[in-house]
Amino acid sequence: MKVVILAGGLGTRISEESHLKPKPMIGIGEAPIMWHIMKYYSEFGYNDFIICCGYKGFVIKEYFADYYLYRSDVTFDFSNNNEMILHNNVAEPWRVTLVDTGVHAQTGARIKRIQKYVGNERFMLTYGDGVSNVDLKSLVETHDKSKAIVTMTAVQPGGKFGVLEMNNDDVVTKFAEKVKEDGGWINGGFMVAEPEVFNYLRDDDSLVFEREPLESIANDMKLNAYKHHGFWQCMDTLRDKQYLERLWESGNAPWKVWE
């Protein structure tokens, strides 16, 4: 099954770094967050990736063009016809298709524009800025049972603010940090989609997948949710990046399931 990664947005909420590179190329540790996502899928046996490029897509293309250099030791022998010798060459079992889906395109248009690379097959779909420890095997099994066109991973993100309880005199009677699962469920990405999803899409820059297409699929009772109670974190802001960096540097990043 192919894995489609949406990687073309502007990333304006983390402009401290996204003015230089696409948000999926912002590093967690020494590798882009998209690399972390791909390594996670690869651990479950999904190695065929289609990346929807847009804003500064050339950065993504250059990264994969020189991937073996980034991940290996190398000797440049200028005395011998500029010979390049790779040491400890790190190879991934990946097939990566990079598609220019437009600088200003919204998510629905980007997905529509990679249809010919997916073909008439089921595929995985996720965003290039979020990591998780979602059980992909269980996700697919849930999708199989649902008969849905799209199954999305539903998550309840942790709250950033403390919660107050007050009496009628505005006296605080209780203060507590907001717990993770006391709110509504949101779309956490990590989706499984049938090829019929393309029937809900059109080649229109303004088409947002999370609006008209998913709303129509839901109205047709063909949208299913896989509830994930474990770790999930997107990287919308610099604060999010710093949080993910701390987890990675601790050696206990929940999404790090590979050796």
Side-chain angles (χ1 to χ4, degrees):
M1 198 185 321
K2 296 180 175 68
V3 180
V4 175
I5 301 178
L6 292 163
L10 298 178
T12 54
R13 284 183 286 182
I14 192 168
S15 58
E16 296 90 347
E17 295 201 36
S18 64
H19 71 288
L20 297 173
K21 63 187 74 170
K23 186 163 65 165
M25 294 303 294
I26 295 174
I28 302 299
E30 296 183 354
I33 188 171
M34 187 162 63
W35 176 88
H36 293 258
I37 296 167
M38 294 171 72
K39 290 288 285 186
Y40 189 81
Y41 273 99
S42 187
E43 191 66 17
F44 285 84
Y46 300 106
N47 295 302
D48 194 345
F49 298 95
I50 300 171
I51 299 175
C52 301
C53 300
Y55 172 70
K56 295 187 181 296
F58 67 89
V59 176
I60 302 176
K61 292 178 181 179
E62 289 174 354
Y63 176 78
F64 285 105
D66 293 330
Y67 184 81
Y68 61 96
L69 290 178
Y70 288 121
R71 309 300 299 181
S72 305
D73 297 333
V74 60
T75 297
F76 295 99
D77 188 349
F78 299 111
S79 65
N80 187 25
N81 296 320
N82 295 328
E83 183 181 8
M84 182 177 70
I85 305 168
L86 293 177
H87 311 280
N88 304 318
N89 187 16
V90 177
E92 305 285 0
W94 297 347
R95 184 175 188 268
V96 184
T97 302
L98 304 167
V99 184
D100 183 0
T101 56
V103 174
H104 302 292
Q106 298 292 334
T107 49
R110 295 191 190 283
I111 299 168
K112 182 66 174 177
R113 289 168 186 170
I114 54 86
Q115 181 175 0
K116 66 180 179 180
Y117 298 101
V118 171
N120 191 33
E121 301 176 8
R122 172 187 292 179
F123 62 100
M124 295 281 203
L125 172 65
T126 197
Y127 303 101
D129 62 353
V131 287
S132 177
N133 62 355
V134 60
D135 186 336
L136 297 179
K137 182 175 182 292
S138 180
L139 168 65
V140 173
E141 290 172 350
T142 298
H143 179 74
D144 283 337
K145 295 174 183 176
S146 71
K147 310 296 185 183
I149 292 176
V150 175
T151 295
M152 65 171 57
T153 297
V155 298
Q156 290 183 297
K160 296 181 179 179
F161 305 101
V163 176
L164 302 178
E165 291 184 11
M166 294 174 283
N167 62 20
N168 292 335
D169 296 322
D170 293 337
V171 174
V172 176
T173 58
K174 182 178 180 181
F175 175 82
E177 288 299 309
K178 187 176 180 182
V179 298
K180 180 181 178 184
E181 297 193 352
D182 68 346
W185 295 88
I186 68 168
N187 172 17
F190 296 91
M191 293 173 263
V192 184
E194 298 296 329
E196 288 80 8
V197 72
F198 292 112
N199 297 332
Y200 292 82
L201 303 174
R202 60 182 183 277
D203 192 348
D204 176 350
D205 268 2
S206 65
L207 185 66
V208 179
F209 180 60
E210 297 79 8
R211 294 179 185 167
E212 179 188 329
L214 283 184
E215 289 170 1
S216 297
I217 294 170
N219 289 338
D220 291 342
M221 305 296 288
K222 293 293 185 177
L223 179 61
N224 188 47
Y226 173 77
K227 290 183 177 179
H228 174 58
H229 298 276
F231 175 83
W232 175 89
Q233 179 65 50
C234 63
M235 189 179 65
D236 274 343
T237 65
L238 185 59
R239 179 180 177 179
D240 295 333
K241 170 184 161 57
Q242 292 168 342
Y243 172 62
L244 291 172
E245 286 272 12
R246 289 194 300 271
L247 287 176
W248 183 255
E249 291 170 1
S250 74
N252 295 308
W255 68 91
K256 206 278 187 183
V257 294
W258 58 90
E259 295 299 325

